Structures are given as C-alpha cells and as structure tokens.
Amino acid sequence: MFDPGEETLSAESGEDSNGINLMDFSDEILLHILSYVSCTDLILNVRKTCRKLATLCLDKSLTHTVLLHKDYQVTKDKVKQLMKEIGKEIHQLNMAGCYWLRSCTIDHVIRCKNLVNLNLSGCHLTSLRLSKMLSALQHLRSLAIDVNPGFDASQLSSECKGTLSRVLELKQTLYTPSYGVVPCCTSLEKLLLYFEILDRSREGFILSGQLMVGESNVPHYQNLRVFYARLAPGYVNQEVVRLYLAVLSDRTPEKLHAFLISAPGSFAESGATQNLLDSMARNVCLDALQLPKSWINGSGLLQHLKFNNPFYFSFSRCTLSGSQLILRVINGGRDLKSLTSLNLSGCVHCLSSDSLFRKAEDDIDSGILESLVVSCCNLRHLNLSAAHHHSSESLGRHLCQLLARLRHLESLALPVCSITNVATNTDKQPVQAVTNMVSQGLGKKVRIGVPTYPKNLQQSNQKSQSSVFWTLLENLLFLKTLELIGSSFSSAMPRNEPAIRNSLPPCSRAQSVGDSEVAAIGQLTFLQNLTLAQLPNILTGSGLVSIGLRCQHLQTLSLANLGMMGKVVYMSALMDMLKHCKCLRDLRLEQPYFSANTQFFQALSHCSSLQRLCIVSRSGTLQSDAVMSFMANCLEVIMCHMFMGESLTVCRNLQQSIIQSFQADRPALNVIIFPLLHEDLTEIIRDVPMRHLDEITLFKSRVAEEPPNLWW
C-alpha cells in the first residue's frame, strides 16, 4: 500500500525552481527518461516512489529487455527479486560478464518462462544447472554460454535438448576442447564460437584438441547463415576449430552468407578447409568475409568467391595488394554502398598497386585509396592500422584528404605515420633529430609537478588547423571512436607469452606527430573512445587538455608510449585533462617509468564515472596509500589492474588490502597488482575475467574487429 502523503512528497521533490513538476510530463516522455535507468533501479527503487511511476516502471517497453551485463552492483538478492517481480515479462536477458555472481544465481532465470534471447557468457554455469534452466525455457531462440572444463553433454535432459533443438542463434566461448551444446542445436542459423582453450592445464598437462567425430551432427548445419570463429593464440584452439570446419566442408550450407574466422599468427590450411573454401566458391554468395591470412596470401581464393551485398570485409594481416583489392574485392571500383565495415589492419601493401617490389615505407598509390573511398562511400568503420601508409607530395591526394570524403565514418583506426603533413615534413628534420635524442633519454630534464605545456590552447589549435589531420577530423565531426597507433608499436602486456622487454623504434615519418595533432582531436565533440599509441613527438601533452575540455562524451581512453620513453613528459597535462573527464569509464595507461603517485590519483579521482583502470609500466612505481585513497574516493571503480616494476611483496600486500577493504561493498571488484616482468605473469593473466581481459587489459585495435551487430 502507498502512503497518501508519499506521492505528494514525491511530486514536491520533483518540482524545480521554475515550478515544473516531473510528474506533469506525458507518459511517453517519462518512459523515454526511464529507459536510461537500469532495470534493477527501476523495479527495486524507482517503482516505489509513487503510484504513477509504479505503473510506468512495469511498462512492457522497459521490462521486455533486461540488461545486467554492465550493472556491476547487481547481487544475487537483486537478481532474485528482479526475476520474482517481472520474470514473466522478460523476453531478452543479458547477464554477459557477470562473473561475480555465484552459479546458483542462474537458478532464478527459470522464472523467465517467456525468454527468447538469453546471454550468460562469462557466468558460472554447470551442465546440470544449464539442463534444469533450459528445460523450463520453451520459447528460447538465442543462447550464449561458456563451456568450461567439466562440461558433460550427457547430463542434459531430453527437455533441455528439446529447447536447444529450437535455438536459432548460439554463441559459445570454449575453455575446453568440446562441441558444447552444438550437437543438440539442430536448427542453427547463426553460430559464434570463441576459442579460449589453453595448450596446458593449470597442472601443466598438455591438452589435446581431439574430439569425438560422431558428436558433430553433420546435417544440423544446413540452415546455417552465419559462422564466426575467433581464436586466441594456441595450437589446441586451431585443432578444435578444424573439427567444426570439417563438418562444414562435408556439406556446405547453401544459405551461408557470412563466414568469418579470426586467427592470430599462422593457421595453415588443411584438406578439409580447402574443400570447404572450394565448395563455398561454387555454392554460396557471401555478405561478410574474414579468413586467416595464410588462407588468402598467395592464393586466388578471392577471385572465385561471390559476393552479394557485402557489409563487412576483414583482410587483417594479409599480403593483399592494392590491385587485388580493387580488382577482386571491389570489382574494379563497382558500387559498394552496402559495405559498412572494412578491416585492413596490418595489410602493408593494400594501398599500393604491386607488392612485389615495394618496401613497406614507400608512398601509397592515392588512386587506389580514392577508388576505395568512391566505391565504399557509406563506410562507417575503417581500420588501416599496423602498416606504413605514407602519402606522396601530390596536392590534394593525401590519405587524410581522401578519407575526409567518408562523412559517415563512426570509427577509424590509422597508423601515426599516415597523418603527417608531407610538404612540411622536410622542414621538421631538426625537430625529429631532437626527438630522437629525447626518446633515447637525452635532453633537458622536465620538472615534475610544474605544467610545461602552453596554457593558451587557442594558440596551439591555430597551429594545427593547417594540418591535413585537422582537415580530416573537421569533416568527421560525428566520429565516436578514433585510434592512432604507431606502425611499430607492440604492447608490453602479454597474451600467452612473457612480457615484451624492448619495443621497436617508431617510424621515421611519425617523428613529427605530437601535441598539435592531439589537440586537433578536440574537434570531435561526440568522441567516446580514444586510443593513442607511440606518438614520439609528444613534448608536453598540451593536446590532451584540449580533448578533456571539449570531448565531454569520452568514455574510454587508452594512452601508450607517448613522447620520450625515459620519463612521462605529459604527466602534468594528463592530470589536468582527467579533471574534466566526467564521463570516463575506462582508462588504460601503458608507459615505461610511469609514477602512479598521489598527484596522479588525486587528479583521477575527478573522474566520477570511472569503473576500470589498467596501468602497464615497465620500471613503473606506485604509492600504495595513494591507491587506497583513490579506491575509497571513487566508489564506481570495480577493476584495478596494475602491472608495474614494484616487488612481488609490495604488489601482493596492496592487492590484498584493496580486496579486504572494498570487496564487501563492490561485488564485482577485480584487482590484480603484479610485477610486469615476473615469470608467473601469464598464469595470473589466465584468471582475469574475459570481459576485462578482452576489453581493456590487453591492448589491441578494436575498430572493425567484428562485423557490426554480430550479437544482440
């Protein structure tokens, strides 16, 4: 029952100084406002404020889809209460990455009898719990789960298998060699596979990728429209994915329109994969394609594959030449308005007519790039990173000037050396020479704690307005994601190997890229994600302040190896920048000799929305008291990863103190403080929740990494 005075009180509290009462708005406006509130808050808190909101919070538009995947404050009790209140109304439930919830929490999902889409990736789930849950979800059509060691398909009940037989979309993350629930899903139209199997068990035993061939269910792929496989490094991952592909090669689905395999390093073809590709060339017409580089390099595969209205291409790390790109991919410059996402990361020859006699540092063929821009005029996501794309002195033919025509771009990744002004490049040789000396540890000392950047940002911006990079960003005002990554950059943070101790020097053409280019990024009013890596001419970091002041929607910031490597020359500017980043949620810093001191954490405390912090620093130092004070002040922080140069004892003591002090109030808290160059780092990394490891801890280019809208 409501207190009669409660609604009056709520109405009074909702009235502003102008006499406007929130409750006087129409239901449509209020529903739109409420759509920005998390479902747990709506049902467990807002609904209790007054009668009107009690009704509106139960509107189908708000209860149809429940997203818990980034609600780091959700607990077992909240999930239980939520499912009890609106379980029957939920049709889509996303709990992906809720690693902190115990497996018994999943039992409450049974209340959602009308579920159509369910995402439990990253959640603890046993075979028996999965069986019990799916037995009750007769309407389920889309499912995402993890397959962990100990998974036993024989424990799945007949009712569970009945539900799986009606599932049309399946996403499996495999941590052990297994087919998972694929053999039970006889109606699959979309299959997404993420292979995260390690070559060795925790006990050190070598794992085998062999599976029972009889479990593969050959006929059950015939409705398949989308096949996607992403492999982490490791031999076992390759062996297991071959078994899945062997089934496809035996009888290729005729409705297949998206075929994507993302594999790092070398992944040799087999007889079965060659048969599959030959069959695809004969029988299917694709809209999306991604293959391991070794499957494309030196073969005529692209010449035979047929495309309908392609929306996604990825040729990452392939030796695709510009002539091949034009002739075989965009068919001599034909109209490809349907293409929205293109990944050419690491394709060092893709903008040159011939790769046989070209050095990686030679100038690009601007005609090829222009053909690409004209043909694919509706591109929204473009990745040209991890390569040298040097423009010639031809007037109006610079890479930045040509890309400026792609007005629909939402995300863009470029190598640092591609944004330099060619005409003025020769005039900057003295600056480059000084920068080279500074990068080696020579040059004038920078006084710590004293701002060394110009306070007059307008003067700095006037300098950069004459650059081709400024012109590019001036035409891409709706860009949400920007990555500038040095073509020689390699992160010190390992995947399955020891930390990298030495980094390659930056490209000579990139030596002039510094503060003025960074200041140009301040034009991007709607920027949400920014990555800057290996910009050698950062002398003060003044451009960072411009970004902090103007890019008020910035949510993710990743900075790596800026300026000289012997010291952090941009520390003062970074601290000033952070004071303005009110929407920043994720911060990743990778810089040798970084000092995570009191001043830094005081500045970082201004980022009231910060949730995740990762610092990677060879020979870096930290102040434990400053970290503890920061964690106490920033209540939203649930991930703190610091890989520094401190001793193992210092790291362990700080990690334990943080967990003991804050774990009770932050159920999702994940803390790792560990020496970067310690031999056991790879063992520590394997325990990081996949959500954090993939999204922030490991450095990588994320533009056009996957097709847009691959999963709901």
Side-chain angles (χ1 to χ4, degrees):
M1 295 293 291
F2 286 100
D3 184 343
E6 184 180 354
E7 189 164 1
T8 304
L9 181 63
S10 299
E12 291 176 355
S13 63
E15 187 175 316
D16 66 17
S17 58
N18 296 321
I20 299 176
N21 192 318
L22 183 65
M23 293 300 105
D24 290 337
F25 288 132
S26 67
D27 288 355
E28 290 76 12
I29 294 177
L30 287 174
L31 285 172
H32 182 72
I33 295 173
L34 293 173
S35 68
Y36 289 93
V37 182
S38 69
C39 192
T40 50
D41 275 339
L42 282 178
I43 303 304
L44 305 183
N45 297 318
V46 178
R47 191 167 68 93
K48 299 178 181 179
T49 56
C50 67
R51 288 190 179 92
K52 185 169 186 177
L53 289 180
T55 301
L56 290 178
C57 286
L58 293 177
D59 189 86
K60 289 184 178 180
S61 65
L62 300 178
T63 59
H64 181 275
T65 300
V66 174
L67 306 177
L68 302 179
H69 66 295
K70 289 190 177 180
D71 188 351
Y72 295 113
Q73 295 301 320
V74 71
T75 62
K76 174 187 174 182
D77 291 337
K78 287 183 178 180
V79 173
K80 179 181 179 180
Q81 187 65 20
L82 189 67
M83 301 307 167
K84 180 179 179 181
E85 298 283 350
I86 62 168
K88 294 181 180 179
E89 309 300 325
I90 301 174
H91 286 71
Q92 297 188 87
L93 176 61
N94 189 344
M95 296 179 64
C98 292
Y99 55 86
W100 62 93
L101 295 176
R102 297 173 59 185
S103 58
C104 58
T105 308
I106 307 300
D107 294 342
H108 301 295
V109 176
I110 293 178
R111 292 179 178 269
C112 307
K113 302 292 185 182
N114 295 313
L115 264 184
V116 177
N117 300 334
L118 175 61
N119 192 339
L120 296 175
S121 296
C123 296
H124 301 289
L125 190 63
T126 64
S127 307
L128 288 175
R129 278 203 159 85
L130 177 66
S131 179
K132 181 180 178 182
M133 176 185 63
L134 294 186
S135 297
L137 305 180
Q138 301 295 318
H139 302 286
L140 197 66
R141 296 297 179 268
S142 177
L143 175 66
I145 59 170
D146 290 353
V147 178
N148 291 294
F151 179 86
D152 186 357
S154 66
Q155 295 180 334
L156 303 180
S157 67
S158 57
E159 293 82 3
C160 170
K161 292 179 180 179
T163 297
L164 289 171
S165 69
R166 294 183 289 273
V167 167
L168 303 178
E169 301 176 349
L170 176 65
K171 177 181 178 182
Q172 276 193 164
T173 303
L174 296 158
Y175 293 95
T176 187
S178 173
Y179 285 116
V181 298
V182 170
C184 303
C185 301
T186 56
S187 304
L188 279 183
E189 295 181 0
K190 178 187 289 188
L191 177 59
L192 311 184
L193 300 168
Y194 293 76
F195 294 87
E196 296 289 340
I197 311 167
L198 296 175
D199 289 345
R200 291 179 180 271
S201 66
R202 292 183 180 277
E203 296 75 23
F205 299 115
I206 298 177
L207 295 177
S208 170
Q210 297 301 312
L211 297 174
M212 295 292 291
V213 178
E215 297 177 355
S216 57
N217 271 342
V218 174
H220 298 164
Y221 289 108
Q222 290 315 298
N223 295 320
L224 205 62
R225 296 175 55 81
V226 177
F227 180 86
Y228 176 87
R230 193 186 78 177
L231 285 67
Y235 175 76
V236 175
N237 289 317
Q238 296 185 9
E239 287 299 297
V240 176
V241 79
R242 287 185 197 278
L243 295 174
Y244 282 87
L245 294 175
V247 179
L248 289 174
S249 65
D250 193 46
R251 189 179 173 190
T252 306
E254 296 179 358
K255 297 179 181 179
L256 193 68
H257 76 94
F259 186 76
L260 309 130
I261 300 179
S262 173
S266 177
F267 184 20
E269 283 186 89
S270 64
T273 56
Q274 186 58 57
N275 291 338
L276 170 61
L277 297 176
D278 291 341
S279 177
M280 286 172 53
R282 292 191 306 269
N283 303 318
V284 301
C285 199
L286 296 173
D287 295 331
L289 177 68
Q290 179 177 9
L291 295 175
K293 62 179 183 179
S294 57
W295 295 16
I296 294 179
N297 294 346
S299 73
L301 174 64
L302 292 178
Q303 189 173 353
H304 302 291
L305 288 176
K306 296 183 289 291
F307 303 106
N308 186 15
N309 291 304
F311 61 88
Y312 177 80
F313 283 140
S314 177
F315 302 105
S316 180
R317 305 291 174 180
C318 294
T319 57
L320 191 72
S321 70
S323 57
Q324 290 174 313
L325 180 67
I326 297 299
L327 294 175
R328 299 181 182 178
V329 179
I330 61 176
N331 196 17
R334 72 176 183 185
D335 185 0
L336 270 186
K337 291 182 179 179
S338 61
L339 195 66
T340 59
S341 189
L342 177 62
N343 189 344
L344 296 173
S345 173
C347 295
V348 297
H349 305 298
C350 68
L351 298 182
S352 300
S353 57
D354 198 338
S355 62
L356 293 178
F357 304 103
R358 178 186 183 270
K359 296 180 181 178
E361 296 81 6
D362 289 346
D363 291 344
I364 64 171
D365 185 335
S366 56
I368 291 175
L369 179 59
E370 185 171 26
S371 296
L372 182 66
V373 168
V374 171
S375 301
C376 310
C377 57
N378 288 323
L379 274 178
R380 296 183 182 274
H381 313 281
L382 176 62
N383 194 329
L384 293 172
S385 65
H388 297 272
H389 295 315
H390 299 170
S391 298
S392 65
E393 297 183 19
S394 301
L395 188 64
R397 310 288 286 177
H398 193 283
L399 178 140
C400 289
Q401 293 169 324
L402 294 173
L403 292 183
R405 303 180 190 179
L406 297 174
R407 302 299 181 89
H408 300 290
L409 278 181
E410 297 177 9
S411 62
L412 176 64
L414 293 174
V416 175
C417 57
S418 71
I419 68 170
T420 57
N421 273 6
V422 180
T424 59
N425 199 46
T426 54
D427 301 333
K428 295 190 177 183
Q429 292 303 320
V431 177
Q432 292 179 15
V434 172
T435 307
N436 284 332
M437 288 191 297
V438 170
S439 66
Q440 295 173 14
L442 302 178
K444 186 177 179 180
K445 297 278 186 183
V446 179
R447 293 176 61 193
I448 298 175
V450 179
T452 56
Y453 53 88
K455 287 293 186 180
N456 190 347
L457 294 174
Q458 185 176 1
Q459 181 180 0
S460 176
N461 289 342
Q462 288 175 351
K463 283 184 180 181
S464 59
Q465 287 182 21
S466 60
S467 72
V468 290
F469 185 56
W470 180 281
T471 303
L472 170 64
L473 300 187
E474 194 175 34
N475 288 277
L476 303 179
L477 292 180
F478 296 102
L479 202 66
K480 296 179 181 179
T481 298
L482 176 64
E483 297 178 351
L484 288 181
I485 304 175
S487 51
S488 304
F489 176 74
S490 184
S491 175
M493 194 65 209
R495 176 56 159 151
N496 292 333
E497 62 278 346
I500 298 173
R501 298 172 184 265
N502 297 310
S503 58
L504 296 173
C507 170
S508 59
R509 186 75 73 95
Q511 293 288 355
S512 61
V513 178
D515 297 316
S516 60
E517 285 77 14
V518 173
I521 299 173
Q523 299 177 87
L524 301 176
T525 306
F526 300 100
L527 189 68
Q528 296 180 8
N529 310 293
L530 176 62
T531 297
L532 301 174
Q534 202 181 39
L535 277 65
N537 203 33
I538 294 291
L539 302 178
T540 64
S542 57
L544 294 174
V545 185
S546 177
I547 295 172
L549 285 168
R550 298 173 179 176
C551 303
Q552 288 296 299
H553 298 283
L554 191 65
Q555 297 181 11
T556 301
L557 176 64
S558 177
L559 305 177
N561 291 12
L562 304 186
M564 66 178 72
M565 292 296 96
K567 61 181 69 175
V568 188
V569 296
Y570 59 92
M571 181 63 110
S572 296
L574 175 62
M575 290 190 294
D576 267 9
M577 175 196 189
L578 292 175
K579 295 175 183 177
H580 305 289
C581 297
K582 302 302 181 183
C583 293
L584 191 66
R585 295 180 182 177
D586 295 341
L587 175 62
R588 187 186 192 277
L589 296 173
E590 180 169 340
Q591 188 83 28
Y593 302 99
F594 189 88
S595 177
N597 55 26
T598 301
Q599 291 81 6
F600 166 72
F601 280 111
Q602 285 176 345
L604 190 58
S605 296
H606 287 86
C607 302
S608 54
S609 300
L610 192 70
Q611 294 179 332
R612 300 189 291 188
L613 171 66
C614 179
I615 301 178
V616 179
S617 180
R618 177 171 51 84
S619 303
T621 59
L622 58 84
Q623 293 182 3
S624 298
D625 292 343
V627 179
M628 292 297 294
S629 178
F630 160 73
M631 292 295 295
N633 292 330
C634 295
L635 304 180
E636 299 296 319
V637 176
I638 54 87
M639 192 204 92
C640 180
H641 290 180
M642 301 179 70
F643 306 96
M644 315 287 282
E646 299 285 0
S647 68
L648 183 60
T649 300
V650 170
C651 293
R652 281 179 172 170
N653 289 341
L654 177 57
Q655 177 175 320
Q656 189 174 12
S657 297
I658 294 175
I659 293 174
Q660 289 178 346
S661 300
F662 306 108
Q663 185 82 68
D665 297 325
R666 307 180 199 184
L669 185 65
N670 183 258
V671 182
I672 297 181
I673 318 289
F674 204 77
L676 177 63
L677 300 182
H678 196 282
E679 60 183 4
D680 292 334
L681 180 60
T682 53
E683 293 299 314
I684 297 297
I685 291 299
R686 69 187 298 171
D687 290 326
V688 177
M690 186 53 60
R691 169 174 292 281
H692 300 325
L693 186 67
D694 190 53
E695 294 180 356
I696 180 170
T697 306
L698 296 178
F699 183 96
K700 63 178 178 179
S701 176
R702 293 177 170 82
V703 172
E705 179 187 17
E706 294 181 344
N709 304 318
L710 184 62
W711 196 252
W712 59 277

